[in-house]
Amino acid sequence: MWDLVKQGVSCSRIFSTTTVTSNSSNGEIPSDLLMAKKAMSVPDRTQGVYQDLVIPVTNFHYEDKGLMALAGDVFDVPIRKDIVHRVVRWQLAKRQQGTHSTKTISEVSGTGRKPHPQKGTGRARQGSLRSPHMRGGSTMHGPKPRSHAFKLNKKVRRLGLKIALSARAAEGKLVIFDDLSVPTHKTKNIVNWVNGLDDSKKLLLVDDGAINEKLKLATQNIHYVNVLPTIGLNVYSILQHDTLVMSRAAVNRIVERMHTPINR
Amino acid sequence: MLRKRLQSFFSTSIRSFSNPNIPSFPTKSAIPISNFFLKSSNSSNICSNGAFWGNGYSTTRSFSSLLSLNDLRDNPGATKQKKRKGRGIGSGLGKTAGRGHKGQKARGTMKFGFEGGQTPLRRRLPKRGFKNPFSLTFQPVGLGKIAKLINMGKIDSSELITMKTLKEAGAIGKQIEDGVRLMGRGSEQIIWPIHLEVSRVTVRAKAAVEAAGGSVRKVHYNKLGLKALLKPEWFAKKGRLLPKAARPPPKLADKVDSIGRLPAPTKPIPFVVNENVAAAPSPC
């Protein structure tokens, strides 16, 4: 509603009974007015046809460095949310520490003596002072330290990565840089660069090989910019950040990795 | 007048959508997706057609990204809830938890298949037969499948089709136990002459292939020979030579036409009218 105010529609119009957005058929408000983020525009090509893409290459100074072709079988696979869901669940499960522990009746400190005879006293029958129904007793079926990791097929994990990359490419949030080199380790250069971008809240920079120390220092203190080497590229990190910035070398490394067969 | 205000709002919003990142990057070759919509893609559409406004948004949803962490789910039917017994009336499995009322089965476990002392079913029925250690299992493959693979281009019909080519083309799968049996399903699709070397053929399949002008030869491979045919690199890796092809044992001699050749042959041996067919190896 305030968008409309900014656009110049007067408040009286908005509060009037003939409201701005009413269709007499249904009372739904157009969804683009409901969202703070920009919605995506209508596409002009179908996604997921394994078509090679062409992306312009740029760098930290917004210069145009030419174009780059991206392999279609890595950057244009059909989007399968269920596969990405499985991969993300696998990633989050395997990172769980699993150091939760409770004491069973054998571990709770205390005697094993039967508190009072089975029959004769008018009380309920009790076998142990540390039964689960007693105060100070053990926990029944409680958690024990264990690993929460489970196996996920390597080919599924690989496909998940391809889908994540394709999704970012399809939204237009994949940026290719010529190289991720920065002149100094000053954080404010990176901050200024991010401010110059439109519509990116969290950025993931992916570089090949050892990451430049200056870049590492410059981005260390910014919580919305993260740097990863290509080995560390994973689905969860891609999904956490809305924009993915990769260097040419990183892209080539990833495509090469996706094309080498998984051997036993 | 109201409509004019809204049209101006819309045209500005659409202009901003089409050039999202002008200050930062040069505009990309637009790579958007078909199932995301903002129906007002064409501003002229809105300006001209007032009725469009009414129908535009009843069913669409727009997202800010294709894949985000808050929008992930598995396919419906992928997970099924466990049966939790003994957790209240509403679950349908409370109180007796699916065990009925009283009795030994309700109070403990009874061995599966126990019938209370009556001779159980598995002892009432007679035993039958034996397992033949020398029986051979052949993987069936239909002529229709071979025809389909030839049409797809995965099998070269000018060369001899052996069990190795069938496995590599994907006609059979990865497990070939003792050989391949050629069956007749889809035999009407064979119209060109093809030459095959397989372990067994059915009568009709053979007739269909011969009617088209081709030939089928039944060859014998033992287990080692079949491995040498399908995976000669296993022998090379171990540093062994390929084994000599074994003759069929006398029992199976009349079921086959000739001994299989190693390594995998490429030219068919033509059938000669007289019975003394020497399996002279043609150039492989």
Side-chain angles (χ1 to χ4, degrees), chain A residues 118-172:
Chain A
Q118 178 84 352
K119 298 182 77 68
T121 65
R123 305 184 57 187
R125 45 194 177 183
Q126 312 283 4
S128 151
L129 273 178
R130 304 295 188 207
S131 309
H133 68 280
M134 292 246 196
R135 175 185 172 274
S138 60
T139 309
M140 205 64 219
H141 300 309
K144 284 284 181 194
R146 65 178 172 113
S147 157
H148 292 264
F150 56 90
K151 173 197 144 170
L152 190 61
N153 298 352
K154 287 189 187 176
K155 294 189 185 179
V156 174
R157 296 184 224 160
R158 182 175 272 200
L159 182 59
L161 187 59
K162 289 186 194 173
I163 295 175
L165 292 170
S166 309
R168 289 292 176 252
E171 295 161 10

Side-chain angles (χ1 to χ4, degrees), chain A residues 13 43 54 81-82 170-171 198, chain B residues 1 20 29 31 33 66 71 75:
Chain A
R13 284 253 178 253
V54 174
K81 262 196 215 163
D82 55 313
E171 295 161 10
D198 202 25
Chain B
M1 195 168 70
S29 48
I31 319 162
I33 320 81
L66 266 186
D71 187 34
N75 288 329

Side-chain angles (χ1 to χ4, degrees), chain A residues 4 7-10 13 20 23 25-26 28 30-33 35 37-45 47 53-56 58 62 79-82 84-86 88 163-164 167-172 174-175 196-198 236 239-240, chain B residues 1-2 5-6 8-10 12-13 16-41 53-55 57-69 71-75:
Chain A
L4 290 168
Q7 294 289 333
V9 180
S10 65
R13 284 253 178 253
V20 170
N23 313 314
S25 46
N26 56 11
E28 287 213 19
S31 38
D32 63 309
L33 295 177
M35 275 180 33
K37 295 190 204 175
K38 283 200 200 121
M40 310 188 51
S41 43
V42 177
D44 62 358
R45 69 173 276 276
Q47 200 274 343
L53 307 173
V54 174
I55 298 228
T58 175
Y62 313 119
I79 306 273
R80 293 260 322 250
K81 262 196 215 163
D82 55 313
V84 174
H85 169 263
R86 283 172 72 184
V88 169
I163 295 175
R168 289 292 176 252
E171 295 161 10
L174 175 65
V175 184
L197 295 180
D198 202 25
Y236 187 56
L239 258 54
Q240 276 180 315
Chain B
M1 195 168 70
L2 191 66
R5 286 267 174 90
L6 297 166
S8 69
F9 160 72
F10 254 91
T12 52
S13 63
S16 67
F17 284 176
S18 55
N19 297 323
N21 290 325
I22 274 291
S24 49
F25 325 113
T27 49
K28 305 201 187 20
S29 48
I31 319 162
I33 320 81
S34 51
N35 55 343
F36 284 79
F37 14 56
L38 190 58
K39 288 246 163 115
S40 53
S41 58
W53 176 245
N55 306 333
Y57 301 98
S58 46
T59 51
T60 66
R61 259 205 204 167
S62 48
F63 298 87
S64 62
S65 103
L66 266 186
L67 214 52
S68 54
L69 279 174
D71 187 34
L72 293 178
R73 68 190 74 84
D74 215 338
N75 288 329

